[in-house]
Structures are given as C-alpha cells and as structure tokens.
Amino acid sequence: MKLTEGDAPHIRDSVTAAQLMAQVLLALLPALAVGVWQLGWNALYLALVCAASAFAAQWLWGREKTTLDGSAAVTGLLLAMTLPPAAPLWLAALGGVLAVTVGKVACGGLGQNVFNPALVARAALVLVFPRLMTDYTAADAVTSATPLHHMALHGLPEESVWQLFLGLCRGSVGEISALAILLGGAYLLWRRVIAWQIPASYLATVAVLTLVLHRGDAPVQWMLSQLLSGGLMLAAFFMATDYATSPVTPRGRLLYGAGCGALTVLFRYTGIFPEGVTYAILLMNGLAWAIDRCTPPRRFGAKKGSAA
C-alpha cells in the first residue's frame, strides 16, 4: 500500500482557499458599497490601492501558489475598511505592503500567520502615523467626530441608534453601516465559511459589559451605541474569525470571542484611542494556541475522566 506523506492537517475538502476568499470578498461588498455611497469615491480608491499593494507584495515576496488565491485581496480590503476616508493613498499602499510582508510572509505564508495581517498593518500605521489614522475629516472638508470618539468624550453619540444601524454617520468604511456588515456576516454563516461561536460570544460579551458599565441614564442606548459604533461588527464577523489566528475547538472559540469582547470594552473605556478592537484581537491571537490546548474536544470513544 502506497502512503502519502504530508504536513497536518490531513482532512481534505473540496472547498479551496480561493473559493473561501471569494466568499469573504462577496460578503464585504455591501459594506464597501455603503461606504462609498456615504463617504465618497476616496473610500473605493483606498480599497483598490490596499488590495493592489497587498497583491504586489504577495507576488514579490510570497509563495507563488498563494498569489492568486485571493487572500491578498481580502487582507487589503479589510485593511482599507479600517482606514479614515480621507487617508492618503500612499498610506493605503504602505499598509497593504506591511500587512502581507510583516503579517503573513514573515510568519511563513498563508495559514501560518500568528496575528491577523490587516490588524498588524493597522496597528503599525497607528503607531507611526497617529494623526493620519485618526483624521476623520469628511469628504466635504468638514471635521466631524465619529460616534465612538464622541462617546469617549461626551457620552451618548449625536446619532440615533437607527442612524448608526443604517450607516448615517462618520467613520471608516468598516464603521459606517452595521446593517451591511450584518448582512455580510449572515452570508458567511449561511455558507459555513465562519462558525457562530466567535461573533456570538464577542458581541454578547460587549453587550453585557457595556450594559452593566453604562455611562449616562440610558443603559440600553449606550449598549446599542457601543455595539453599532466603531469597527466592532466588522471585527466580530470578518477579523476575529480568521482561521489561522483563532482557536479551532468550539469551546475555545467561545472563550476566545469572550476575551476579545472583554478586552475591547477595557480598551475603549481606559485606552488612549476610543477604538479597542485592533489590540484586543491581536492580544487574543497570541493566546489562541493556549486556548486550544486548554479546551480539547472529547476524544471519540473515550469516557469522561479516562486517562489519555
């Protein structure tokens, strides 16, 4: 009998990486469309430049077999959705290169990265260019605080919950429309591209903590505003669920999502910047392997409490 040797995992499936990435890109289109409609054409230009620079970096320094799988386009688009709408195009190009070279290639390539590549690039850009990464000047050159910035300084945002849900507010593309992101997330769940445990535990943890630790006299409105503002929805469905950087066990996913939610609230309440999603997920990325080891699935045929 001829045996084929290879690295784990050994479970094969007919779904390819390219097909998965195509599903993610399709799920992101509603949010991108609302962002371009609300913020102007520069939002589209940022997305195209981020995707193009990420693809170029993947082609130059990545492995040839992963150049056309769509992962670079997904990474670039996710990064673009975290950028301010008035960000210069050179910043988007730099971010796309950093996302692939530092976030993926330096770790060994697709599926071997420890941290989410788009968030690695965003964290680096915030560190080096804090003013550009927090400049939410609108397309009409009128400076306006995002709802999350407003809550960090003054309490409840000026926008209603309904406006936040539909996307009638300021922010990056990924902050604009919770409805569009929920539609994309529901599509990924329906297609079984992602599992429900991470987004459910992430959003539920943020909801409970912000309801208990509310500011002002409207706890429910405060909780809903926290859920619908910033990049929380985008992170819960599209970033925290990244296969390579999140746990694989069901219990581990629940614990991981809860950790992301708790850290997000902690950073939003105490951090320098009002958005806590980036560093919350990056920290939990580093703990994903430990969570998997602490939450092993039950072995088939083994009795509870039996020796290994």
Side-chain angles (χ1 to χ4, degrees):
M1 181 175 63
K2 183 179 180 181
L3 299 177
T4 302
E5 295 183 359
D7 297 329
H10 301 292
I11 299 176
R12 304 301 180 195
D13 195 282
S14 60
V15 179
T16 65
Q19 290 172 329
L20 288 175
M21 298 304 163
Q23 299 287 352
V24 176
L25 288 173
L26 183 61
L28 286 169
L29 287 182
L32 178 61
V34 174
V36 174
W37 169 69
Q38 181 72 2
L39 302 174
W41 288 107
N42 198 58
L44 178 61
Y45 302 151
L46 289 173
L48 294 176
V49 171
C50 279
S53 61
F55 178 84
Q58 183 79 13
W59 181 73
L60 287 173
W61 294 292
R63 298 180 179 180
E64 183 180 355
K65 65 180 181 180
T66 63
T67 302
L68 299 176
D69 62 7
S71 61
V74 170
T75 298
L77 182 53
L78 286 174
L79 173 62
M81 299 187 76
T82 70
L83 298 179
L89 296 182
W90 64 262
L91 187 70
L94 176 61
V97 172
L98 289 174
V100 171
T101 56
V102 178
K104 291 175 62 177
V105 175
C107 298
L110 179 67
Q112 302 182 58
N113 48 291
V114 179
F115 302 99
N116 184 284
L119 292 180
V120 167
R122 172 174 167 76
L125 293 177
V126 170
L127 180 65
V128 181
F129 306 103
R131 185 181 64 82
L132 292 177
M133 290 295 292
T134 55
D135 181 11
Y136 287 91
T137 302
D140 55 8
V142 176
T143 302
S144 178
T146 66
L148 202 56
H149 278 78
H150 193 279
M151 282 189 285
L153 298 173
H154 308 291
L156 288 173
E158 298 174 345
E159 296 84 358
S160 66
V161 171
W162 185 247
Q163 287 175 314
L164 295 176
F165 182 69
L166 293 179
L168 305 176
C169 58
R170 300 295 185 191
S172 65
V173 176
E175 298 179 39
I176 287 297
S177 176
L179 173 60
I181 294 173
L182 283 172
L183 289 174
Y187 174 78
L188 293 181
L189 289 170
W190 173 60
R191 298 290 297 175
R192 297 185 178 181
V193 176
I194 62 174
W196 63 269
Q197 289 94 340
I198 292 176
S201 59
Y202 196 159
L203 296 177
T205 301
V206 173
V208 171
L209 290 178
T210 54
L211 185 64
V212 174
L213 304 174
H214 66 275
R215 295 175 179 174
D217 300 325
V220 174
Q221 185 179 353
W222 174 263
M223 178 264 290
L224 292 175
S225 298
Q226 285 285 339
L227 287 175
L228 300 175
S229 300
L232 178 59
M233 289 290 178
L234 179 70
F237 288 100
F238 291 93
M239 292 183 170
T241 54
D242 176 34
Y243 292 153
T245 60
S246 61
V248 298
T249 64
R251 287 186 300 159
R253 289 169 178 166
L254 288 171
L255 181 60
Y256 173 85
C260 287
L263 288 175
T264 295
V265 174
L266 175 65
F267 292 148
R268 282 187 174 186
Y269 277 48
T270 63
I272 299 175
F273 301 107
E275 180 61 89
V277 164
T278 298
Y279 299 104
I281 294 180
L282 288 176
L283 283 174
M284 292 306 297
N285 286 164
L287 295 175
W289 66 273
I291 294 174
D292 270 335
R293 293 197 64 178
C294 294
T295 57
R298 181 177 176 181
R299 290 179 292 119
F300 182 75
K303 294 182 179 180
K304 186 176 180 179
S306 60

